[in-house]
Amino acid sequence: METSAADRSDTGRPAPTRDPARAARDIATFGFCIVPDVLAGDRLARVRDALYRAADEDRARGREQKFRLDYAHDDTNQRVWNLLSRDPVFGDLAEHPLALELVRAVVGWPALLGNISANITGPGGGEMVLHADQTFVPEPWPAEPQGVNVAWCIDDFTDENGATRVVPGSHRQHRKPAAEDAAAATVALEAPAGSFIVMESRVWHKTGFNRTPDRRRAGIFAWYTRPIYRQQENWFLSLNPSVRQFASDTMLVLLGYRAEGLGLVNGKSPA
């Protein structure tokens, strides 16, 4: 699929857009899109404060868990897991209407929320292994993506502070990157705080290198899949019970507590 010149920026990336139809077209063409100006003002500040507070609590209590795709020698990335149980604002992101509209466009409905976690890159490192998000799917991959990642920019994403880097169009390879692809040309997904970036699950990407002397860069990653896949986070064991108790119908579907076809109890969707 081709895009017009008006749909492209001069950086080789699709220009940011809030038009869902054009954003879906960008995902199909490039493997990703950038949606600006979704969070702002007090709402953005509330999410940012909640995330950095959770990160500081994890560090103070020794609860940090390293991610397998971070380089073993590099401890500048901090992962914050199971955000749904940390503060209600993260549930608002997981079921944000515009984000879910694009999730539906990529993987359909119902979909499962496989995880919602954060990656905070620290100064002097943070780069991770080039990968695609559906490495759990046997190759050759299906012609359609099996998942989609919505990355919320809680701080400005810049080339200097380690913005996520992607290989545009790599989703059309229908495979995970091989060792010889490690040097593939990537572009930084630069976007102001309050934006989100949608990446379909086949596109090759990685965290960039944070070259700043003293700045952290936080992103929240909500990962959704088609409903045939096991969720990365085991919500049935890890979720704060109050989240389920007060969850919307949409959130219950995303968590797997309401089901169609699979995940039934005595032939019916769980209550």
Side-chain angles (χ1 to χ4, degrees):
M1 180 183 296
E2 296 295 328
T3 56
S4 69
D7 290 347
R8 296 175 182 266
S9 72
D10 58 6
T11 61
R13 302 182 302 263
T17 181
R18 287 185 57 86
D19 175 14
R22 202 184 108 191
R25 187 167 70 248
D26 289 342
I27 296 168
T29 302
F30 296 94
F32 61 94
C33 72
I34 301 172
V35 182
D37 305 322
V38 184
L39 300 176
D42 290 344
R43 191 177 183 196
L44 175 59
R46 172 80 171 83
V47 174
R48 191 178 190 278
D49 288 348
L51 177 57
Y52 276 104
R53 184 171 61 252
D56 291 343
E57 289 172 354
D58 281 356
R59 182 152 290 177
R61 296 177 180 273
R63 292 178 175 174
E64 293 182 57
Q65 298 289 326
K66 196 171 180 67
F67 187 46
R68 63 182 178 84
L69 292 174
D70 291 334
Y71 285 108
H73 65 273
D74 189 349
D75 291 322
T76 55
N77 272 352
Q78 183 181 5
R79 304 284 172 169
V80 186
W81 302 100
N82 190 9
L83 289 179
L84 285 185
S85 296
R86 306 303 291 266
D87 193 289
V89 296
F90 302 122
D92 296 340
L93 301 187
E95 57 178 331
H96 189 281
L98 182 53
L100 286 188
E101 185 171 353
L102 293 174
V103 169
R104 288 172 183 263
V106 176
V107 297
W109 193 261
L112 291 178
L113 178 66
N115 193 8
I116 179 168
S117 62
N119 179 18
I120 302 174
T121 66
E127 191 173 28
M128 67 188 300
V129 176
L130 185 69
H131 66 284
D133 285 332
Q134 64 175 49
T135 54
F136 55 88
V137 179
E139 294 183 23
W141 283 347
E144 299 296 332
Q146 301 301 292
V148 58
N149 222 331
V150 178
W152 292 86
C153 304
I154 305 308
D155 297 309
D156 291 340
F157 272 39
T158 69
D159 184 32
E160 186 183 18
N161 73 9
T164 300
R165 304 189 68 88
V166 304
V167 180
S170 53
H171 60 303
R172 292 190 290 271
Q173 298 282 342
H174 298 293
R175 62 173 177 85
K176 62 187 176 184
E180 58 267 25
D181 298 311
T186 61
V187 297
L189 297 186
E190 296 186 284
S195 308
F196 67 69
I197 298 162
V198 180
M199 299 180 291
E200 68 120 282
S201 57
R202 297 170 298 174
V203 71
W204 303 352
H205 64 283
K206 62 181 180 179
T207 303
F209 192 87
N210 187 338
R211 303 190 303 275
T212 68
D214 55 3
R215 295 202 305 274
R216 292 191 290 175
R217 190 275 297 158
I220 293 174
F221 293 81
W223 163 242
Y224 307 82
T225 66
R226 298 179 187 271
I228 61 173
Y229 296 104
R230 185 174 185 179
Q231 289 148 299
Q232 186 178 30
E233 180 76 37
N234 191 332
W235 301 119
F236 304 100
L237 295 179
S238 68
L239 193 66
N240 183 319
S242 67
V243 177
R244 180 193 174 194
Q245 180 181 357
F246 297 106
S248 67
D249 288 345
T250 297
M251 181 61 78
L252 290 172
V253 171
L254 291 171
L255 293 174
Y257 282 99
R258 290 195 175 170
E260 295 179 16
L262 300 173
L264 305 179
V265 176
N266 294 323
K268 295 179 60 177
S269 175

